[in-house]
Amino acid sequence: MSAAERQVREDLAAAYRLVALYGMDDSIYTHISARVPGTEDQFLINPFGMLFRDITASSLVKIDLDGNIVEPGEWDVNPAGFTIHSAVHAARHDAACVLHTHTVAGVAVSSLAGGLHPCNQWALQFHNRVTYHAFEGIALDHAERERLVADLGPTSRALILRNHGLVTLGRTVSEAFILMHNLERACRVQVAIQSTGQAVNPVPEEVCELTAQQYASGDTNRLAAVPTDPYAREWRALLQRLEPASTASFRD
């Protein structure tokens, strides 16, 4: 195994555990995949039947775009996971990682006719940058892949599956996870706002677009020394949530 693949495996396993930590998992369902470095037709995905909290770098399953398990073992993969992820990885070579969730807030917003509203700062990251795919039942029909990819488009990094859930794409595992974390929080805030029955304070269109551009450019992470990867700083902090707790007291 190359050092690059080992790093991707570790990042992907961390993403699974962070999804569980933040309550974005759905029993043994939903999935996160990452392209195997140096390939265009192989990706890593969770073993079907293992809880996200238990996934490790070595337990991930390597499959190709035809659904063949490259390195056979004791686990298989979720057929619906293969349908969605193979479609995206085959069409979008910029997508090193694809993350899919079925959260209560995400499914709620995906089921609304109006979809995601530009009603909070997290949502504005996706202003005019989120696409939608109509619900066609559980994603088991490989013929759906062509329509899903067409709806995703060539540049979108966020896809809302109508009446189903959320998908984010990242050039790295960290980007896909942080985008999903923000999209999930945008949905939670929207559901909370709508539950009040009160009018929403409107954000001018020019401010919506400015905010989306600020997120895209990495301006939100521009303090002092800026890492090359705009998601690296937050990813390092998130990984600390998975390490054993520090023995240092807050009083030290």
Side-chain angles (χ1 to χ4, degrees):
M1 183 186 301
S2 69
E5 180 178 337
R6 179 66 192 180
Q7 185 61 60
V8 168
R9 282 177 173 271
E10 291 180 4
D11 284 341
L12 184 56
Y16 273 106
R17 293 197 176 204
L18 285 166
V19 165
L21 181 66
Y22 284 100
M24 294 189 288
D25 53 346
D26 176 18
S27 184
I28 62 171
Y29 303 100
T30 75
H31 8 77
I32 317 170
S33 63
R35 192 186 307 279
V36 176
T39 75
E40 291 188 351
D41 64 344
Q42 295 179 4
F43 57 96
L44 302 162
I45 199 166
N46 57 306
F48 190 29
M50 185 179 291
L51 292 174
F52 283 18
R53 70 178 190 187
D54 298 326
I55 288 179
T56 62
S58 59
S59 69
L60 293 162
V61 180
K62 185 186 296 187
I63 63 175
D64 65 21
L65 293 177
D66 294 320
N68 301 309
I69 295 179
V70 177
E71 297 171 353
E74 61 178 309
W75 296 93
D76 58 4
V77 301
N78 185 338
F82 169 75
T83 301
I84 294 171
H85 291 256
S86 63
V88 177
H89 283 297
R92 291 282 299 272
H93 297 300
D94 61 318
C97 181
V98 181
L99 201 164
H100 172 46
T101 62
H102 299 157
T103 63
V104 172
V107 174
V109 169
S110 77
S111 302
L112 295 172
L116 185 68
H117 296 174
C119 59
N120 64 84
Q121 180 170 281
W122 285 313
L124 296 181
Q125 179 173 7
F126 305 97
H127 180 63
N128 289 335
R129 289 159 175 79
V130 63
T131 53
Y132 295 83
H133 174 62
F135 186 63
E136 298 187 26
I138 296 174
L140 298 174
D141 183 358
H142 289 181
E144 184 181 352
R145 292 185 293 185
E146 182 177 350
R147 295 183 291 276
L148 186 150
V149 166
D151 289 335
L152 172 63
T155 60
S156 176
R157 298 199 176 279
L159 173 68
I160 293 180
L161 304 175
R162 290 288 192 183
N163 312 94
H164 181 173
L166 310 175
V167 176
T168 53
L169 286 63
R171 290 159 291 195
T172 59
V173 173
S174 57
E175 180 179 23
F177 177 81
I178 292 169
L179 286 176
M180 180 59 76
H181 193 208
N182 289 347
L183 183 57
E184 167 67 12
R185 290 186 289 183
C187 291
R188 291 186 186 184
V189 172
Q190 179 174 324
V191 170
I193 291 171
Q194 291 177 317
S195 71
T196 70
Q198 300 296 308
V200 176
N201 182 59
V203 180
E205 170 62 29
E206 61 271 20
V207 178
C208 290
E209 180 58 28
L210 170 64
T211 307
Q213 291 179 11
Q214 288 173 324
Y215 271 109
S217 67
D219 284 349
T220 58
N221 201 27
R222 189 162 294 154
L223 289 174
V226 182
T228 303
D229 177 357
Y231 301 93
R233 187 197 308 267
E234 185 175 357
W235 183 245
R236 286 195 299 270
L238 288 167
L239 292 183
Q240 293 174 28
R241 295 293 304 274
L242 303 178
E243 298 293 350
S246 170
T247 57
S249 167
F250 72 94
R251 298 184 187 279
D252 291 348

